[in-house]
Amino acid sequence: MTYAIHPVWSTTSQPQSLLYGLYKVGVDGEHEIAQASRLESIEELRQQLLHPEQGGK
């Protein structure tokens, strides 16, 4: 499975309210599966999805 992390585009004009999105990438494009205000939170979720048997570690 391929995942992408990038800013939620609608929040980039106001850095104080910037959100990050986690997206599942497929042949039909990207589908958002989560949003968070901290990049670290999104990365932790991505790791859990990539390595569920390790609890994300």
Side-chain angles (χ1 to χ4, degrees):
M1 188 66 55
T2 302
Y3 296 98
I5 297 173
H6 55 71
V8 175
W9 302 125
S10 62
T11 65
T12 58
S13 64
Q14 298 178 346
Q16 68 276 14
S17 63
L18 182 66
L19 294 174
Y20 295 94
L22 176 61
Y23 300 82
K24 183 171 72 171
V25 180
V27 294
D28 56 341
E30 294 183 351
H31 298 280
E32 184 178 293
I33 53 178
Q35 282 187 7
S37 59
R38 294 181 58 235
L39 182 57
E40 295 84 2
S41 299
I42 290 292
E43 176 58 25
E44 183 177 318
L45 177 56
R46 185 182 75 89
Q47 288 298 322
Q48 290 173 3
L49 292 170
L50 290 172
H51 308 288
E53 69 285 351
Q54 299 174 5
K57 302 286 180 193

